[in-house]
Amino acid sequence: MPDSQTDYVIVGGGSAGCVLARRLSDDPDVNVVLLEAGPDALEPLIEIPFAFSQLLKSDLDWDNESEREPHLGDRRIHLARGKVLGGSSAINALIYLRGNRLDFDSWERAGFCGWSFEDVLPYFKRAEDNEQLGDPYHGKGGPLAVSDNPTPHELVDAVIAAALQAGIAANEDPNGAVQDGVGRWQSTQRSGRRSSTADGYLGPVRARPNLRVITDAEATKVNFESDRAVGVEYLRHGELKNASCQREVILSAGSFNSPKLLLLSGIGPAADLARLGIACRENLPVGRNLQDHLIVMLNWLTDGESMKDAWTPENMARWEDDGTGPLASNVGEGGAFIRTRSALPAPDIQLTFCPVMLGDDFLVPPMDHGLSLCPVLLKPASRGVVSLRTSLPISKVRVQNSYLAEDDDRRTMIDGVRACLNIAEQAALREVTTGPSLVPASDSDADCLDFVERNAQTLYHPVGTCAMGAVVDRECRVLGHECLRVVDASVMPEIPRANTNAATIMVAERAADFIKAA
Ligand SMILES: Cc1cc2nc3c(=O)[nH]c(=O)nc-3n(C[C@H](O)[C@H](O)[C@H](O)COP(=O)(O)OP(=O)(O)OC[C@H]3O[C@@H](n4cnc5c(N)ncnc54)[C@H](O)[C@@H]3O)c2cc1C
């Protein structure tokens, strides 16, 4: 496909980029080029839900690190991002949760017409091929496989029973009418095998003559003619190349690298660009408004089997045979959405229940059998920044999350930790646990906060760095420029109250319709 015939260049074949590549190339008269910095998704571990932690810090991870975080004991936090076709949807923990109705209604209220819950529900459903659930909240026949866990672990049942004893209501579908409550969650897999956007969206259409996927191609900047984006420059196997297009350049490089590309192209805060010697095309707050979900793991020992020893030849044979067994588990099998104060309009804490002890960024295998209860701060008030270290594309971005900078965030996280301690006190959990392994010294505010500061990490959900209203308009067009959009998690004005893969895919489905209608 010669450049002169290319309509769209999409940068980044992740959760959003693969959706766009599929939807835009549905029209055989439209020619699409998808550039992905990482390789094709050939690594066999990608398919195994339980193996996601093996992919962290591998060649398929951009392996960013935050600046020292002042409210987390000055620690640097590992910020994993998928560097492979499928992007972070190929290395994530597969949890399928969408967020609260209020999240999307508040985007609409902020002036982004067309993003209310009622507006976006059809796009969540269009994406989905839900094995168990259907109307009115779920879709069937879409590219993304969503299923119940094929081999639920009994330790998670015990935690759910304890949460019920603690007074949390049961909820069989937090993606349905009500988000509050406790239960098992679905995941993006089918028959125990991961459904990333690379295989769900791109796989079936890879052979289309109007779609060209170029892997190992890292975009370095956007090319312009006057204010019109006309293509991108990219590096492939040490050679600098150009991909031009007639209609639009679409950046889907994720919440760290989409702002990076805009900044390298002269779109960003004028003072920051001047400091790096980059000529400013447009003074926009690119990279500001970074929001992420903070999580901390509390661990208890069990006398029964956890998933500590899941990597056995027998379990591998079982998974290969019929996609069941421990290796089909995505670990975060269930949990709860709770409100730490009754006056809140929606949950502010997500509790994730795991049938194995967790810690150290999922990187160190547990020494003992146990389980983990993990509070997640759903609506952080703190805001971070993504910026450039140098004007060279090879430099990694600088990420300062400023986790827990706001009092409210610290207060909510303390209450989330206390909710876990309370669940652990219930009879159903006492029956299966033999004592604490990693928990705060007491349930006092000071001890809970100290525990969070020493142990919290990211749940890998950065959003908001090219936010609607600040950097792009409601149709994801970069302000002040023609033929340039950003479509990925970075355009979310506010973080949804849930893991962010489903919402990112929804954003791309929604944006595909805007682009087609342009
Ligand atoms: C370890 C981990 C666990 C997670 N667990 C869950 C979970 O259980 N459930 C959930 O809902 N969400 C989860 N998430 C979050 C979710 O996966 C992300 O929110 C979502 O994938 C973001 O999609 P995106 O399109 O914005 O970015 P990505 O999917 O990261 O895609 C960006 C793509 O752009 C490519 N790229 C970047 N720069 C360039 C460049 N210069 N040139 C060319 N290509 C480039 C990248 O290689 C990547 O493929 C997790 C994320 C991680 C990392």
Side-chain angles (χ1 to χ4, degrees), residues 10-19 34-39 52-53 55-56 60-62 78-98 185-188 194 197 214 216-221 232-235 251-258 260-261 264 292 330 332 350 361-362 393 457-463 487-492 498-505 508:
I10 302 165
V11 176
S15 294
C18 291
V19 175
L34 175 65
L35 299 177
E36 166 53 44
F52 79 90
S53 62
L55 301 168
L56 305 180
L60 307 186
D61 177 3
W62 285 87
H78 172 227
L79 305 169
R81 296 280 92 197
K83 188 179 186 181
V84 58
L85 218 50
S88 299
S89 79
I91 71 162
N92 73 14
L94 293 90
I95 294 172
Y96 182 76
L97 290 165
R98 295 172 175 175
W185 296 333
Q186 293 191 300
S187 56
T188 45
R194 176 193 294 270
T197 55
I214 310 177
D216 303 302
E218 183 168 345
T220 50
K221 70 173 173 109
V232 298
E233 181 186 87
Y234 67 97
L235 251 179
L251 304 183
S252 299
S255 290
F256 298 150
N257 283 3
S258 284
K260 176 181 176 182
L261 280 167
L264 287 171
D292 193 8
N330 65 326
Q350 174 181 356
D361 217 5
F362 302 106
Q457 61 164 82
T458 175
L459 195 54
Y460 316 103
H461 297 164
V463 310
V487 178
D488 55 26
S490 72
V491 303
M492 297 182 194
N499 311 58
T500 44
N501 190 42
T504 306
I505 291 169

Side-chain angles (χ1 to χ4, degrees), residues 128-166:
E128 192 182 12
D129 183 22
N130 200 307
E131 195 172 25
Q132 284 82 21
L133 304 173
D135 275 334
Y137 291 103
H138 293 278
K140 293 197 187 286
L144 187 71
V146 178
S147 308
D148 289 351
N149 188 327
T151 315
H153 198 288
E154 60 197 21
L155 281 180
V156 174
D157 293 329
V159 191
I160 291 172
L164 292 168
Q165 289 170 347

Side-chain angles (χ1 to χ4, degrees), residues 222-231 244-245 281 481-483:
V222 180
N223 295 326
F224 292 94
E225 276 171 14
S226 181
D227 279 345
R228 182 169 187 270
V230 293
S244 310
C245 55
R281 307 184 59 87
H481 284 76
E482 286 170 42
C483 307

Side-chain angles (χ1 to χ4, degrees), residues 211-518:
L211 172 62
R212 184 156 169 234
V213 179
I214 310 177
T215 51
D216 303 302
E218 183 168 345
T220 50
K221 70 173 173 109
V222 180
N223 295 326
F224 292 94
E225 276 171 14
S226 181
D227 279 345
R228 182 169 187 270
V230 293
V232 298
E233 181 186 87
Y234 67 97
L235 251 179
R236 189 158 198 264
H237 302 154
E239 216 183 308
L240 211 49
K241 302 185 171 209
N242 283 292
S244 310
C245 55
Q246 306 302 314
R247 293 201 198 173
E248 294 194 18
V249 172
I250 306 164
L251 304 183
S252 299
S255 290
F256 298 150
N257 283 3
S258 284
K260 176 181 176 182
L261 280 167
L262 288 179
L263 292 164
L264 287 171
S265 311
I267 299 175
D272 294 4
L273 295 174
R275 202 167 25 83
L276 295 167
I278 299 174
C280 181
R281 307 184 59 87
E282 193 77 31
N283 183 9
L284 293 177
V286 172
R288 305 293 201 265
N289 190 45
L290 170 64
Q291 298 162 58
D292 193 8
H293 285 144
L294 192 70
I295 182 171
V296 69
M297 288 93 168
L298 285 80
N299 289 330
W300 282 266
L301 298 159
T302 55
D303 49 10
E305 282 275 310
S306 71
M307 296 186 70
K308 164 173 131 23
D309 300 322
W311 285 114
T312 63
E314 295 74 28
N315 286 342
M316 182 58 95
R318 187 174 167 194
W319 178 80
E320 281 172 348
D321 187 39
D322 63 1
T324 65
L327 300 188
S329 167
N330 65 326
V331 181
E333 292 185 13
F337 287 91
I338 61 169
R339 306 181 196 208
T340 60
R341 281 163 287 155
S342 55
L344 291 171
D348 57 345
I349 285 284
Q350 174 181 356
L351 303 174
T352 302
F353 302 156
C354 304
V356 64
M357 291 206 287
L358 297 173
D360 296 314
D361 217 5
F362 302 106
L363 292 168
V364 180
M367 303 292 285
D368 289 298
H369 286 292
L371 54 82
S372 198
L373 273 60
C374 317
V376 177
L377 180 67
L378 282 176
K379 268 297 190 198
S382 310
R383 295 288 180 269
V385 179
V386 172
S387 55
L388 295 181
R389 289 180 190 281
T390 76
S391 59
L392 299 177
I394 50 162
S395 297
K396 287 188 177 182
V397 284
R398 183 193 302 276
V399 183
Q400 181 78 67
N401 290 279
S402 301
Y403 295 113
L404 301 186
E406 298 292 331
D407 283 351
D408 250 13
D409 292 352
R410 295 196 289 274
R411 154 69 35 219
T412 306
M413 210 53 188
I414 290 168
D415 287 343
V417 167
R418 243 188 233 121
C420 294
L421 295 173
N422 183 33
I423 291 171
E425 284 302 308
Q426 307 302 315
L429 211 51
R430 281 177 167 271
E431 262 173 41
V432 297
T433 53
T434 55
S437 168
L438 185 67
V439 300
S442 79
D443 67 355
S444 73
D445 281 7
D447 283 339
C448 290
L449 184 59
D450 174 66
F451 181 80
V452 171
E453 286 172 353
R454 283 187 292 112
N455 296 292
Q457 61 164 82
T458 175
L459 195 54
Y460 316 103
H461 297 164
V463 310
T465 50
C466 302
M468 276 186 237
V471 176
V472 299
D473 68 10
R474 70 170 198 99
E475 295 192 10
C476 303
R477 293 175 291 220
V478 175
L479 301 175
H481 284 76
E482 286 170 42
C483 307
L484 180 60
R485 289 188 213 238
V486 180
V487 178
D488 55 26
S490 72
V491 303
M492 297 182 194
E494 275 197 48
I495 196 162
R497 290 173 174 84
N499 311 58
T500 44
N501 190 42
T504 306
I505 291 169
M506 174 280 288
V507 163
E509 288 276 14
R510 182 83 190 88
D513 276 4
F514 287 138
I515 297 167
K516 285 179 176 180

